[in-house]
Amino acid sequence: MAVLGSAQPDGVPQAAPVEAEATVAARARMVREQIAARGIKDVRVLEALGRVPRHEFLPSSQRLRAYEDGPVPIGEGQTMSQPYIVAFMSAALELKPTDRVLEIGTGSGYQAAVLAELAAEVFTIENVEGLAWRAEGDLKRLGYGRVKVRVGDGYLGWPEAAPFDAIIVTCAPERVPEALVQQLKVGGKMIIPVGPQNGDQELYLLRKHKAGMETKAVLPVRFVPMVKGL
Ligand code: SAH
């Protein structure tokens, strides 16, 4: 497991703490009943959701809700998406172990950890500073320190690290941001909810071709809005 061991006072390293059986079982059940049973078949995605300790990315007041079938509040008026949505979006990108991925909307860092299980490099942008720092700390603590977290405006993307094989947006703009389209490789995929604030939104799967973008609506959803600026 990816939890770091702590050193004892005499410097002898302790074994990594063993995760409670109850959370291991709750997570296995989440994968079986909420995700596999609803048709997600990608084994790498199922394994990734089985490995990442979702409860560790939640404020302590919300931890008991980690394996519920719904979104969970993470503070600052934001939420961690329902496990099924995380799995659905991760599977839609068909990530390869060599891929470089950009996420917009770090939130708790949970989705970024799932991406880190599936791809080589993960870049994630969050515009609420407090959430970004907390997520960065949790990612490091849990062994996902190679995920790069930036406080910034997702509408601008991460030009210095572009182009990306895949882009995942976990907040909803009213239109697909042009900078993100530009920062996607030809042949790359983007999964993004689009629609009015707090209204009906649609999850789109986009694929960039030399000749332009292919766009497919894949699921009706409701995400927090993608806000402009910091
Ligand atoms: N992926 C997250 C859930 C994200 S909720 C997880 O796994 O926990 C959506 C996040 O998008 C919120 O944290 C919100 O602050 C952030 N957000 C909204 N507008 C943004 C913008 N313009 N740029 C970057 N992040 C943004």
Side-chain angles (χ1 to χ4, degrees):
M1 214 189 49
V3 177
L4 299 173
S6 55
Q8 285 173 325
D10 62 359
V12 178
Q14 267 183 321
V18 178
E19 191 184 348
E21 267 177 48
T23 55
V24 176
R27 191 159 64 247
R29 188 169 164 186
M30 170 194 91
V31 171
R32 228 177 25 247
E33 295 180 2
Q34 299 177 34
I35 299 170
R38 290 187 183 133
I40 307 277
K41 294 193 176 68
D42 186 324
V43 177
R44 292 183 70 230
V45 170
L46 297 177
E47 285 176 357
L49 272 103
R51 264 196 303 272
V52 180
R54 185 169 157 94
H55 59 285
E56 294 279 1
F57 290 90
L58 286 170
S60 48
S61 60
Q62 300 296 335
R63 283 207 178 150
L64 289 173
R65 299 182 55 187
Y67 300 103
E68 282 179 8
D69 191 11
V72 189
I74 56 172
E76 310 270 0
Q78 304 300 329
T79 57
M80 177 194 264
S81 302
Q82 180 188 16
Y84 175 70
I85 296 291
V86 173
F88 184 95
M89 293 175 81
S90 304
L93 293 173
E94 297 180 298
L95 295 169
K96 293 192 289 295
T98 49
D99 280 351
R100 304 172 73 247
V101 187
L102 174 67
E103 178 192 30
I104 308 299
T106 314
S108 66
Y110 172 68
Q111 171 76 71
V114 170
L115 296 170
E117 293 275 354
L118 297 167
E121 283 184 81
V122 180
F123 299 82
T124 182
I125 306 177
E126 169 58 53
N127 71 338
V128 176
E129 206 173 335
L131 289 177
W133 299 145
R134 193 172 76 199
E136 189 177 48
D138 285 338
L139 285 162
K140 281 212 176 91
R141 176 173 62 86
L142 297 163
Y144 298 103
R146 58 196 179 85
V147 172
K148 294 179 189 70
V149 182
R150 167 180 279 189
V151 180
D153 180 2
Y155 280 98
L156 306 175
W158 195 317
E160 314 89 280
F164 300 97
D165 298 287
I167 299 181
I168 176 169
V169 183
T170 65
C171 43
E174 296 199 349
R175 267 176 291 283
V176 177
E178 187 48 39
L180 300 185
V181 171
Q182 277 170 13
Q183 291 173 28
L184 193 60
K185 274 187 196 167
V186 171
K189 287 185 176 164
M190 186 185 327
I191 186 98
I192 177 168
V194 180
Q197 292 203 357
N198 305 317
D200 291 333
Q201 303 155 358
E202 194 71 50
L203 198 56
Y204 284 95
L205 180 61
L206 277 60
R207 185 161 200 149
K208 188 167 178 175
H209 296 283
K210 270 199 190 121
M213 297 299 285
E214 177 189 333
T215 303
K216 202 163 76 175
V218 288
L219 195 71
V221 286
R222 192 166 281 206
F223 274 79
V224 298
M226 181 161 171
V227 302
K228 296 252 185 219
L230 278 179

